[in-house]
Amino acid sequence: MGIITISAANCKNCYRCVRFCPVKAISIRDDQARIEDKACIQCGICVNQCPQNAKQIQGGLEAVLRYRASGQPLLLSLAPSYSGAFEQSLTEIAAELLKRGFSLVEETAVGARIVAGEYRRLVAAQGDGGCLISSPCSVIINLVEKHYPRLLPHLTPVVSPMIAHGRLLKARWGPESRVIFAGPCIAKKEEAREPAVAGAIDAVLTFAELREFLASPELPPAQRPRSLAPNPDAGKGRWFPLPGGLLRAAGLAEGVLEQDILIVDGMEEVMAALEALAAGEIKPRLVEMLACKGGCIGGPFMPKAPVFPARRDRFITTLLSLEDGEHIAGREEIELGREFRVRPYQRIYPGEKKIRAILDAMGKTTPDKELNCGSCGYESCRDKAVAIAQGMAELEMCVPYMREKAENLASTIIDFTPNAILVVDAQLRIKEFNPAAEKLFKVMAEAVKERPLGMVMDETHFATVLNSRRPLQVKVEYPHLGIVTHQRLSYIEEEDLVLALIIDITDMERQKEAFATVKRETIAKAQEVIEKQMKVAQLIAGQLGETTAESKVLLTKLIQLVQEGGDENVLP
């Protein structure tokens, strides 16, 4: 399972994650968004953009609690961007963590100083025509390994500050100690388990997880481990979270204005720079890259408040107050080298014939129908068609296509239903008047649409529904048209409209009246027979009295049955 997963219950198929994913590593299958781990670079953009909080991150707290329970020393490597995420000082954070089982809290910037020294050495030793792409950012490593493998030789073969610091802590306090890294980055969780650097970091927490841990109960004093003395030599390594921070920490800050030094941050600029490098359009000696806009201060697990400028200001204020002005230390007795691996994610590009067939299926039969609205998450209808062919998207993701399909279906139903359908607005103006209504009321839709309802019929019942906002069923006769109707009126709250389904029951009413006439005539005839029988009975009462009585009973029952049988309603 990957670092980022999606909750099927929370995902509402809004395609926002597809739209913002810089490498389109999110597929839609069976109306469900899925992370394509082989393409995902763990930038965390989809996590922040998801309005339903459907993206879930692999947690690290369980491992921390397990290590604490085992009695193994817990050492925290705290990313230097902490001051942009927490109001507390490093000393205050450390004090709280020591109460909860950590033996040491130290800035990752200690490792960053060592890495900065290695960069300065490599840049100085670099020959003409060479190009180094910085590698402290885990997302950049993932991006190059998976999507720009041609540029892999340009990745600087140096471990990140997190790995350098982890190795330094284990070298100092013993391999049995457990080093936990805390920072704003999701990709660090995957970097920590990469085979090339495995063992340096035992668990990775986001700042959100660290905040959750800080809110947990303190350990009793007797259960707290012995605290260890941290290394204060972070120095200029604290600048790493900012664009240009590596150059400043390495003593190469003057190179910012030089043509052969390039600083880029944010995925859009990063990918544009990599494209230009791959095409040979630019040839810098060093490219410092940070995937997040504004650097690590803009990381996916930095708090939303305060806003970025305020976080950056607080970070720099803290940094300047801690700046110790020390020179970059030389290479420490830990391994700083790093090898990268080619993990190319390649999609098979479909042929033009297949793309054209998919576009036609979406109703994009001509270029002018390719709206390129981006509602599906892709920049163009053609990109969407390619994604469908590659199994990354579905036809139904096209919102204009689905809307047109729904409208066509609705129009078909309205046009071909045998019953009249009317829609009127709050001003009792006709908005919809279907063909059955034209036939029933003997007037064309063009003549009455957007006109007052009173031109066609009495408005009373419609006004009642608008005012009460409750449905109404009523029988209405139109003598001038020779029709009788059964009307079902419903209020549509979202649009403040009244929808009327009008059924022509003229024939049913005529049948009902004919039946009533037969009933009346039958009763009259039966009554006439009874009266005649009674007269005869008076003449021959002695001989036929019993038979006459029985006939009267039978005829009386017949009258009752006829009377009772004709009272049922024709319509429910």
Side-chain angles (χ1 to χ4, degrees):
M1 186 174 66
I3 300 297
I4 306 173
T5 56
I6 298 177
S7 167
N10 290 349
C11 179
K12 303 304 180 185
N13 301 321
C14 66
Y15 313 135
R16 188 176 178 85
C17 55
V18 177
R19 187 176 305 116
F20 283 93
C21 178
V23 294
K24 293 296 180 279
I26 299 174
S27 63
I28 303 292
R29 293 195 296 274
D30 300 325
D31 292 328
Q32 178 63 56
R34 305 169 192 269
I35 302 291
E36 298 294 327
D37 292 323
K38 291 183 178 180
C40 181
I41 57 176
Q42 284 95 42
C43 62
I45 292 176
C46 65
V47 177
N48 281 339
Q49 290 295 335
C50 181
Q52 301 298 326
N53 297 318
K55 308 298 184 294
Q56 299 172 340
I57 308 302
Q58 186 181 82
L61 279 176
E62 184 178 344
V64 173
L65 296 176
R66 186 171 65 251
Y67 294 146
R68 186 177 70 175
S70 68
Q72 296 167 302
L74 292 181
L75 315 179
L76 185 75
S77 174
L78 185 61
S81 53
Y82 75 88
S83 59
F86 296 90
E87 294 183 1
Q88 300 97 317
S89 67
L90 176 63
T91 302
E92 292 170 332
I93 294 173
E96 292 301 315
L97 289 171
L98 293 175
K99 294 176 184 177
R100 290 163 176 80
F102 275 86
S103 298
L104 173 74
V105 177
E106 191 170 289
E107 293 181 82
T108 314
V110 173
R113 287 184 74 243
I114 301 172
V115 170
E118 186 67 2
Y119 268 84
R120 187 168 66 174
R121 185 185 70 81
L122 289 173
V123 170
Q126 187 182 14
D128 293 337
C131 174
L132 292 176
I133 299 174
S134 65
S135 57
C137 178
S138 306
V139 176
I140 299 300
I141 295 174
N142 291 337
L143 182 63
V144 173
E145 287 185 340
K146 294 182 178 183
H147 299 278
Y148 296 91
R150 288 182 299 167
L151 298 177
L152 201 63
H154 296 288
L155 273 178
T156 308
V158 178
V159 297
S160 68
M162 177 185 77
I163 299 301
H165 192 219
R167 288 175 176 174
L168 190 66
L169 289 174
K170 293 212 172 197
R172 187 186 309 154
W173 302 109
E176 73 282 356
S177 59
R178 297 300 179 184
V179 179
I180 314 301
F181 173 80
C185 182
I186 295 172
K188 290 297 181 186
K189 289 178 178 282
E190 183 179 78
E191 181 188 353
R193 63 188 191 187
E194 272 291 301
V197 295
I201 300 295
D202 297 290
V204 173
L205 302 179
T206 63
F207 279 153
E209 290 177 298
L210 181 61
R211 195 179 298 277
E212 182 180 345
F213 184 80
L214 286 168
S216 66
E218 300 176 7
L219 293 178
Q223 296 181 18
R224 298 173 190 173
R226 178 177 62 89
S227 62
L228 305 174
N231 182 350
D233 296 335
K236 289 185 172 61
R238 297 188 180 103
W239 285 98
F240 262 64
L242 292 178
L246 186 155
L247 296 177
R248 180 164 183 162
L252 301 170
E254 65 276 6
V256 172
L257 299 178
E258 296 180 8
Q259 188 175 4
D260 59 353
I261 300 292
L262 181 62
I263 302 172
V264 290
D265 62 297
M267 285 304 304
E268 186 175 349
E269 290 187 16
V270 163
M271 293 180 72
L274 290 175
E275 292 285 351
L277 281 171
E281 296 174 0
I282 56 174
K283 297 180 180 180
R285 293 181 62 201
L286 175 63
V287 184
E288 182 185 335
M289 288 188 169
L290 292 173
C292 296
K293 192 65 180 174
C296 303
I297 308 301
F301 272 91
M302 292 295 287
K304 299 298 184 293
V307 295
F308 174 79
R311 293 200 305 268
R312 184 179 183 276
D313 181 70
R314 188 167 68 190
F315 169 78
I316 293 177
T317 300
T318 302
L319 188 149
L320 292 175
S321 70
L322 297 172
E323 184 68 63
D324 58 15
E326 293 182 15
H327 295 293
I328 298 295
R331 185 184 178 98
E332 303 288 340
E333 293 303 317
I334 58 170
E335 178 57 48
L336 295 177
R338 163 84 193 263
E339 291 184 355
F340 303 102
R341 57 194 177 110
V342 177
R343 296 182 287 163
Y345 179 77
Q346 296 179 335
R347 297 187 177 106
I348 299 175
Y349 193 83
E352 181 62 26
K353 184 177 180 180
K354 191 167 188 177
I355 294 174
R356 188 70 259 164
I358 294 173
L359 286 170
D360 289 346
M362 291 192 297
K364 316 298 181 184
T365 52
T366 57
D368 62 291
K369 292 185 178 180
E370 296 181 22
L371 303 180
N372 302 326
C373 65
S375 60
C376 62
Y378 291 89
E379 291 187 7
S380 69
C381 296
R382 176 166 286 269
D383 289 346
K384 160 76 178 306
V386 171
I388 291 175
Q390 294 170 337
M392 294 290 291
E394 295 178 321
L395 197 68
E396 293 75 16
M397 291 169 61
C398 180
V399 175
Y401 163 76
M402 292 302 293
R403 182 171 61 241
E404 183 178 352
K405 185 177 179 180
E407 289 173 351
N408 289 341
L409 179 60
S411 296
T412 300
I413 294 172
I414 291 173
D415 289 345
F416 287 93
T417 181
N419 301 314
I421 294 178
L422 277 76
V423 177
V424 301
D425 62 17
Q427 286 73 45
L428 295 173
R429 301 181 74 85
I430 298 174
K431 309 298 291 185
E432 183 63 53
F433 199 82
N434 75 335
E438 292 179 327
K439 182 178 179 181
L440 185 63
F441 292 99
K442 296 178 174 54
V443 61
M444 298 302 293
E446 292 79 4
V448 296
K449 274 191 174 182
E450 303 299 334
R451 307 293 293 276
L453 178 63
M455 292 181 59
V456 178
M457 65 182 70
D458 181 44
E459 303 172 343
T460 303
H461 298 307
F462 287 79
T464 299
V465 173
L466 276 171
N467 292 329
S468 67
R469 300 191 174 189
R470 292 183 177 181
L472 177 67
Q473 294 194 47
V474 63
K475 184 172 75 173
V476 181
E477 297 185 32
Y478 298 95
H480 66 290
L481 296 173
I483 60 174
V484 182
T485 64
H486 178 80
Q487 301 185 3
R488 297 177 179 177
L489 284 66
S490 301
Y491 178 69
I492 305 175
E493 185 173 0
E494 294 80 2
E495 306 294 336
D496 198 18
L497 300 172
V498 174
L499 169 67
L501 177 66
I502 302 178
I503 305 171
D504 184 1
I505 60 171
T506 304
D507 291 341
M508 297 173 65
E509 287 294 307
R510 287 172 180 168
Q511 292 174 7
K512 185 178 178 181
E513 180 58 33
F515 180 77
T517 300
V518 171
K519 181 179 71 173
R520 288 193 298 271
E521 291 176 353
T522 301
I523 293 172
K525 290 293 183 182
Q527 189 65 42
E528 183 180 344
V529 171
I530 291 173
E531 291 175 356
K532 288 181 179 180
Q533 285 279 7
M534 293 306 296
K535 289 179 181 180
V536 173
Q538 290 174 0
L539 296 174
I540 53 175
Q543 299 179 16
L544 300 175
E546 185 176 343
T547 304
T548 302
E550 290 177 356
S551 298
K552 181 178 180 181
V553 170
L554 291 173
L555 289 170
T556 302
K557 286 185 177 180
L558 174 62
I559 293 172
Q560 291 175 347
L561 287 173
V562 172
Q563 289 175 331
E564 294 171 357
D567 291 338
E568 69 273 17
N569 292 324
V570 176
L571 289 171

